[in-house]
Amino acid sequence: MPQRVLTLAHLAALACVAVLAADMVGGMLGRRLIGSPPMPAATSAGRAALGPARDLKEFAPIVERNLFHSAGAGRLEEIRSALASQPADAPPPPPRVPLQLLGTVVGEGEYSFAIVHDESTNQQAILRLNQQVAGQLVVARILRNKVVLRGNGRTETLEVLYDKAQGAGAGPGRRPAAAPPARAGGIRPVGDAAFLVDQREVTHAMENLQQLMTQARLVPSFTAGKPDGYKIFAIQPGSLYQRIGLQEGDVIKRINSVDVSSPEKAFQVLSELKDEKVVTVDLVRGSQPRTLRYEVR
């Protein structure tokens, strides 16, 4: 066989071997790529790990010459402006203040206070002006059914939220609906200033303090410049206040012989009422002292 034929045969064999080898390598790479996990999405941390971002001017020749026949040819400055207008990664919002506002008593300065339910401790507490809460916030204002907290460039507002299940509109700033009519036998007058009260009425009122505090308005009362109780007005028809004999303009001085001239004392007496069997309320009605007596059964 001539030498030239042998050489051509050898070259053909080498070509076949090369094709087979390339096919085997391609198959192995394909299987590895198919089995590889997907690339994770880019994150701020991932971008930071890649080093500082490079200026778009470095890629100007690619954009200007349109090497890849892109629709962005000649629009380098436009692209830069669009990227610059994109907001940076926003910091996470601060945690919500874990306080639910139950009601407020609005007076002059330090005599205003609010009653809140602390969700972190599942207890009720009093807030006063300039009191620090939730770490870096302080009580800046106490308004009707609203408390404003400020601090460290941040403002939070607590508002009374009414419960639909109790017949009141849901959402801040909504006026509560009229209280439901008295249950039969719930509260019954037995004299000019005496009442029999079903224990369930007291329990219901203490468990729904938020609703109770929106059924009337209480403001501090002063005599000779000193606080001496709380004046009640804007009593809603059918509310507990009306059913226990309180009237517009009554000034409540003492409950069970304990004066309620300060928020702390008033809150203490209020929290203890659910366990009392006899409750007396000393008040002033139209400049005349008067005592209302309640027997709880």
Side-chain angles (χ1 to χ4, degrees), residues 178-202:
R183 291 184 285 271
I187 299 175
R188 181 163 56 94
V190 291
D192 183 44
F195 299 82
L196 287 178
V197 181
D198 192 314
Q199 178 66 55
R200 289 171 292 184
E201 288 280 354
V202 178

PDB file of all heavy atoms in Angstrom, residues 178-202:
ATOM      1  N   ALA A 178     -72.872  53.866  70.607  1.00  0.00           N
ATOM      2  CA  ALA A 178     -73.515  53.915  71.916  1.00  0.00           C
ATOM      3  C   ALA A 178     -73.427  52.558  72.592  1.00  0.00           C
ATOM      4  O   ALA A 178     -73.452  51.515  71.949  1.00  0.00           O
ATOM      5  CB  ALA A 178     -74.980  54.326  71.750  1.00  0.00           C
ATOM      6  N   ALA A 179     -73.311  52.589  73.907  1.00  0.00           N
ATOM      7  CA  ALA A 179     -73.183  51.347  74.662  1.00  0.00           C
ATOM      8  C   ALA A 179     -74.464  50.536  74.560  1.00  0.00           C
ATOM      9  O   ALA A 179     -75.552  51.088  74.380  1.00  0.00           O
ATOM     10  CB  ALA A 179     -72.883  51.668  76.123  1.00  0.00           C
ATOM     11  N   PRO A 180     -74.377  49.215  74.669  1.00  0.00           N
ATOM     12  CA  PRO A 180     -75.578  48.389  74.611  1.00  0.00           C
ATOM     13  C   PRO A 180     -76.464  48.648  75.822  1.00  0.00           C
ATOM     14  O   PRO A 180     -75.985  49.099  76.859  1.00  0.00           O
ATOM     15  CB  PRO A 180     -75.013  46.956  74.633  1.00  0.00           C
ATOM     16  CG  PRO A 180     -73.672  47.086  75.278  1.00  0.00           C
ATOM     17  CD  PRO A 180     -73.158  48.425  74.873  1.00  0.00           C
ATOM     18  N   PRO A 181     -77.768  48.388  75.692  1.00  0.00           N
ATOM     19  CA  PRO A 181     -78.662  48.609  76.837  1.00  0.00           C
ATOM     20  C   PRO A 181     -78.313  47.699  78.002  1.00  0.00           C
ATOM     21  O   PRO A 181     -77.690  46.656  77.841  1.00  0.00           O
ATOM     22  CB  PRO A 181     -80.047  48.257  76.255  1.00  0.00           C
ATOM     23  CG  PRO A 181     -79.761  47.375  75.081  1.00  0.00           C
ATOM     24  CD  PRO A 181     -78.458  47.858  74.519  1.00  0.00           C
ATOM     25  N   ALA A 182     -78.723  48.125  79.191  1.00  0.00           N
ATOM     26  CA  ALA A 182     -78.403  47.367  80.401  1.00  0.00           C
ATOM     27  C   ALA A 182     -79.046  45.983  80.348  1.00  0.00           C
ATOM     28  O   ALA A 182     -80.170  45.826  79.885  1.00  0.00           O
ATOM     29  CB  ALA A 182     -78.912  48.120  81.625  1.00  0.00           C
ATOM     30  N   ARG A 183     -78.286  45.011  80.788  1.00  0.00           N
ATOM     31  CA  ARG A 183     -78.844  43.675  80.872  1.00  0.00           C
ATOM     32  C   ARG A 183     -79.838  43.612  82.034  1.00  0.00           C
ATOM     33  O   ARG A 183     -79.647  44.262  83.057  1.00  0.00           O
ATOM     34  CB  ARG A 183     -77.725  42.651  81.079  1.00  0.00           C
ATOM     35  CG  ARG A 183     -76.834  42.485  79.860  1.00  0.00           C
ATOM     36  CD  ARG A 183     -75.805  41.404  80.094  1.00  0.00           C
ATOM     37  NE  ARG A 183     -74.745  41.883  80.978  1.00  0.00           N
ATOM     38  CZ  ARG A 183     -73.649  42.490  80.546  1.00  0.00           C
ATOM     39  NH1 ARG A 183     -73.471  42.700  79.249  1.00  0.00           N
ATOM     40  NH2 ARG A 183     -72.724  42.890  81.386  1.00  0.00           N
ATOM     41  N   ALA A 184     -80.878  42.811  81.848  1.00  0.00           N
ATOM     42  CA  ALA A 184     -81.910  42.697  82.883  1.00  0.00           C
ATOM     43  C   ALA A 184     -81.285  42.248  84.194  1.00  0.00           C
ATOM     44  O   ALA A 184     -80.606  41.229  84.255  1.00  0.00           O
ATOM     45  CB  ALA A 184     -82.985  41.707  82.437  1.00  0.00           C
ATOM     46  N   GLY A 185     -81.495  43.023  85.249  1.00  0.00           N
ATOM     47  CA  GLY A 185     -80.957  42.672  86.560  1.00  0.00           C
ATOM     48  C   GLY A 185     -79.499  43.013  86.729  1.00  0.00           C
ATOM     49  O   GLY A 185     -78.927  42.761  87.792  1.00  0.00           O
ATOM     50  N   GLY A 186     -78.833  43.613  85.693  1.00  0.00           N
ATOM     51  CA  GLY A 186     -77.414  43.914  85.796  1.00  0.00           C
ATOM     52  C   GLY A 186     -77.116  44.961  86.852  1.00  0.00           C
ATOM     53  O   GLY A 186     -76.283  44.763  87.723  1.00  0.00           O
ATOM     54  N   ILE A 187     -77.810  46.104  86.769  1.00  0.00           N
ATOM     55  CA  ILE A 187     -77.642  47.176  87.748  1.00  0.00           C
ATOM     56  C   ILE A 187     -79.041  47.672  88.110  1.00  0.00           C
ATOM     57  O   ILE A 187     -79.827  48.058  87.241  1.00  0.00           O
ATOM     58  CB  ILE A 187     -76.802  48.337  87.169  1.00  0.00           C
ATOM     59  CG1 ILE A 187     -75.410  47.830  86.788  1.00  0.00           C
ATOM     60  CG2 ILE A 187     -76.702  49.481  88.169  1.00  0.00           C
ATOM     61  CD1 ILE A 187     -74.547  48.870  86.111  1.00  0.00           C
ATOM     62  N   ARG A 188     -79.338  47.678  89.410  1.00  0.00           N
ATOM     63  CA  ARG A 188     -80.688  48.042  89.844  1.00  0.00           C
ATOM     64  C   ARG A 188     -80.624  49.016  91.012  1.00  0.00           C
ATOM     65  O   ARG A 188     -79.988  48.734  92.031  1.00  0.00           O
ATOM     66  CB  ARG A 188     -81.438  46.774  90.261  1.00  0.00           C
ATOM     67  CG  ARG A 188     -82.866  47.006  90.706  1.00  0.00           C
ATOM     68  CD  ARG A 188     -83.643  45.693  90.699  1.00  0.00           C
ATOM     69  NE  ARG A 188     -82.994  44.683  91.526  1.00  0.00           N
ATOM     70  CZ  ARG A 188     -83.297  44.455  92.804  1.00  0.00           C
ATOM     71  NH1 ARG A 188     -84.231  45.181  93.413  1.00  0.00           N
ATOM     72  NH2 ARG A 188     -82.693  43.500  93.480  1.00  0.00           N
ATOM     73  N   PRO A 189     -81.241  50.214  90.869  1.00  0.00           N
ATOM     74  CA  PRO A 189     -81.263  51.151  91.994  1.00  0.00           C
ATOM     75  C   PRO A 189     -82.171  50.635  93.111  1.00  0.00           C
ATOM     76  O   PRO A 189     -83.242  50.092  92.855  1.00  0.00           O
ATOM     77  CB  PRO A 189     -81.823  52.433  91.373  1.00  0.00           C
ATOM     78  CG  PRO A 189     -82.576  51.987  90.166  1.00  0.00           C
ATOM     79  CD  PRO A 189     -81.896  50.754  89.672  1.00  0.00           C
ATOM     80  N   VAL A 190     -81.712  50.789  94.342  1.00  0.00           N
ATOM     81  CA  VAL A 190     -82.504  50.358  95.509  1.00  0.00           C
ATOM     82  C   VAL A 190     -82.688  51.520  96.482  1.00  0.00           C
ATOM     83  O   VAL A 190     -82.970  51.323  97.652  1.00  0.00           O
ATOM     84  CB  VAL A 190     -81.827  49.171  96.231  1.00  0.00           C
ATOM     85  CG1 VAL A 190     -81.894  47.926  95.372  1.00  0.00           C
ATOM     86  CG2 VAL A 190     -80.389  49.500  96.603  1.00  0.00           C
ATOM     87  N   GLY A 191     -82.560  52.710  96.014  1.00  0.00           N
ATOM     88  CA  GLY A 191     -82.718  53.901  96.851  1.00  0.00           C
ATOM     89  C   GLY A 191     -82.236  55.109  96.059  1.00  0.00           C
ATOM     90  O   GLY A 191     -81.895  55.021  94.874  1.00  0.00           O
ATOM     91  N   ASP A 192     -82.208  56.247  96.731  1.00  0.00           N
ATOM     92  CA  ASP A 192     -81.818  57.475  96.057  1.00  0.00           C
ATOM     93  C   ASP A 192     -80.346  57.458  95.637  1.00  0.00           C
ATOM     94  O   ASP A 192     -79.981  58.062  94.628  1.00  0.00           O
ATOM     95  CB  ASP A 192     -82.074  58.669  96.988  1.00  0.00           C
ATOM     96  CG  ASP A 192     -81.765  59.984  96.307  1.00  0.00           C
ATOM     97  OD1 ASP A 192     -82.154  60.148  95.132  1.00  0.00           O
ATOM     98  OD2 ASP A 192     -81.111  60.843  96.917  1.00  0.00           O
ATOM     99  N   ALA A 193     -79.507  56.772  96.397  1.00  0.00           N
ATOM    100  CA  ALA A 193     -78.074  56.762  96.105  1.00  0.00           C
ATOM    101  C   ALA A 193     -77.467  55.388  96.328  1.00  0.00           C
ATOM    102  O   ALA A 193     -76.278  55.272  96.618  1.00  0.00           O
ATOM    103  CB  ALA A 193     -77.361  57.802  96.955  1.00  0.00           C
ATOM    104  N   ALA A 194     -78.275  54.327  96.179  1.00  0.00           N
ATOM    105  CA  ALA A 194     -77.784  52.965  96.390  1.00  0.00           C
ATOM    106  C   ALA A 194     -78.175  52.085  95.205  1.00  0.00           C
ATOM    107  O   ALA A 194     -79.252  52.258  94.623  1.00  0.00           O
ATOM    108  CB  ALA A 194     -78.342  52.387  97.689  1.00  0.00           C
ATOM    109  N   PHE A 195     -77.285  51.125  94.898  1.00  0.00           N
ATOM    110  CA  PHE A 195     -77.500  50.266  93.727  1.00  0.00           C
ATOM    111  C   PHE A 195     -77.059  48.844  94.043  1.00  0.00           C
ATOM    112  O   PHE A 195     -76.100  48.631  94.791  1.00  0.00           O
ATOM    113  CB  PHE A 195     -76.689  50.762  92.518  1.00  0.00           C
ATOM    114  CG  PHE A 195     -77.043  52.152  92.060  1.00  0.00           C
ATOM    115  CD1 PHE A 195     -76.502  53.257  92.709  1.00  0.00           C
ATOM    116  CD2 PHE A 195     -77.900  52.354  90.992  1.00  0.00           C
ATOM    117  CE1 PHE A 195     -76.811  54.541  92.290  1.00  0.00           C
ATOM    118  CE2 PHE A 195     -78.217  53.636  90.570  1.00  0.00           C
ATOM    119  CZ  PHE A 195     -77.670  54.725  91.217  1.00  0.00           C
ATOM    120  N   LEU A 196     -77.795  47.872  93.438  1.00  0.00           N
ATOM    121  CA  LEU A 196     -77.349  46.484  93.433  1.00  0.00           C
ATOM    122  C   LEU A 196     -76.724  46.215  92.059  1.00  0.00           C
ATOM    123  O   LEU A 196     -77.327  46.518  91.028  1.00  0.00           O
ATOM    124  CB  LEU A 196     -78.524  45.534  93.665  1.00  0.00           C
ATOM    125  CG  LEU A 196     -79.101  45.478  95.087  1.00  0.00           C
ATOM    126  CD1 LEU A 196     -80.287  44.517  95.140  1.00  0.00           C
ATOM    127  CD2 LEU A 196     -78.037  45.060  96.087  1.00  0.00           C
ATOM    128  N   VAL A 197     -75.522  45.640  92.067  1.00  0.00           N
ATOM    129  CA  VAL A 197     -74.781  45.443  90.819  1.00  0.00           C
ATOM    130  C   VAL A 197     -74.443  43.968  90.668  1.00  0.00           C
ATOM    131  O   VAL A 197     -73.872  43.350  91.577  1.00  0.00           O
ATOM    132  CB  VAL A 197     -73.486  46.282  90.806  1.00  0.00           C
ATOM    133  CG1 VAL A 197     -72.733  46.078  89.490  1.00  0.00           C
ATOM    134  CG2 VAL A 197     -73.793  47.757  91.035  1.00  0.00           C
ATOM    135  N   ASP A 198     -74.784  43.418  89.510  1.00  0.00           N
ATOM    136  CA  ASP A 198     -74.414  42.039  89.196  1.00  0.00           C
ATOM    137  C   ASP A 198     -72.897  41.965  89.009  1.00  0.00           C
ATOM    138  O   ASP A 198     -72.306  42.805  88.336  1.00  0.00           O
ATOM    139  CB  ASP A 198     -75.129  41.600  87.918  1.00  0.00           C
ATOM    140  CG  ASP A 198     -75.038  40.096  87.681  1.00  0.00           C
ATOM    141  OD1 ASP A 198     -73.916  39.548  87.820  1.00  0.00           O
ATOM    142  OD2 ASP A 198     -76.057  39.486  87.338  1.00  0.00           O
ATOM    143  N   GLN A 199     -72.274  40.937  89.599  1.00  0.00           N
ATOM    144  CA  GLN A 199     -70.829  40.767  89.486  1.00  0.00           C
ATOM    145  C   GLN A 199     -70.385  40.718  88.024  1.00  0.00           C
ATOM    146  O   GLN A 199     -69.288  41.182  87.668  1.00  0.00           O
ATOM    147  CB  GLN A 199     -70.407  39.487  90.210  1.00  0.00           C
ATOM    148  CG  GLN A 199     -68.920  39.177  90.109  1.00  0.00           C
ATOM    149  CD  GLN A 199     -68.060  40.198  90.828  1.00  0.00           C
ATOM    150  OE1 GLN A 199     -68.248  40.455  92.015  1.00  0.00           O
ATOM    151  NE2 GLN A 199     -67.116  40.809  90.116  1.00  0.00           N
ATOM    152  N   ARG A 200     -71.233  40.197  87.153  1.00  0.00           N
ATOM    153  CA  ARG A 200     -70.869  40.100  85.744  1.00  0.00           C
ATOM    154  C   ARG A 200     -70.701  41.476  85.098  1.00  0.00           C
ATOM    155  O   ARG A 200     -69.925  41.636  84.163  1.00  0.00           O
ATOM    156  CB  ARG A 200     -71.918  39.275  84.988  1.00  0.00           C
ATOM    157  CG  ARG A 200     -71.876  37.781  85.332  1.00  0.00           C
ATOM    158  CD  ARG A 200     -73.055  37.035  84.749  1.00  0.00           C
ATOM    159  NE  ARG A 200     -74.312  37.437  85.397  1.00  0.00           N
ATOM    160  CZ  ARG A 200     -75.496  36.889  85.141  1.00  0.00           C
ATOM    161  NH1 ARG A 200     -75.581  35.906  84.239  1.00  0.00           N
ATOM    162  NH2 ARG A 200     -76.575  37.298  85.761  1.00  0.00           N
ATOM    163  N   GLU A 201     -71.440  42.457  85.607  1.00  0.00           N
ATOM    164  CA  GLU A 201     -71.284  43.817  85.085  1.00  0.00           C
ATOM    165  C   GLU A 201     -69.885  44.355  85.393  1.00  0.00           C
ATOM    166  O   GLU A 201     -69.235  44.969  84.546  1.00  0.00           O
ATOM    167  CB  GLU A 201     -72.336  44.747  85.697  1.00  0.00           C
ATOM    168  CG  GLU A 201     -73.740  44.533  85.193  1.00  0.00           C
ATOM    169  CD  GLU A 201     -73.966  45.196  83.846  1.00  0.00           C
ATOM    170  OE1 GLU A 201     -73.064  45.923  83.366  1.00  0.00           O
ATOM    171  OE2 GLU A 201     -75.041  44.994  83.273  1.00  0.00           O
ATOM    172  N   VAL A 202     -69.432  44.111  86.618  1.00  0.00           N
ATOM    173  CA  VAL A 202     -68.104  44.579  87.015  1.00  0.00           C
ATOM    174  C   VAL A 202     -67.028  43.855  86.218  1.00  0.00           C
ATOM    175  O   VAL A 202     -66.080  44.468  85.712  1.00  0.00           O
ATOM    176  CB  VAL A 202     -67.891  44.377  88.529  1.00  0.00           C
ATOM    177  CG1 VAL A 202     -66.493  44.825  88.938  1.00  0.00           C
ATOM    178  CG2 VAL A 202     -68.951  45.136  89.325  1.00  0.00           C
TER     179      VAL A 202
END
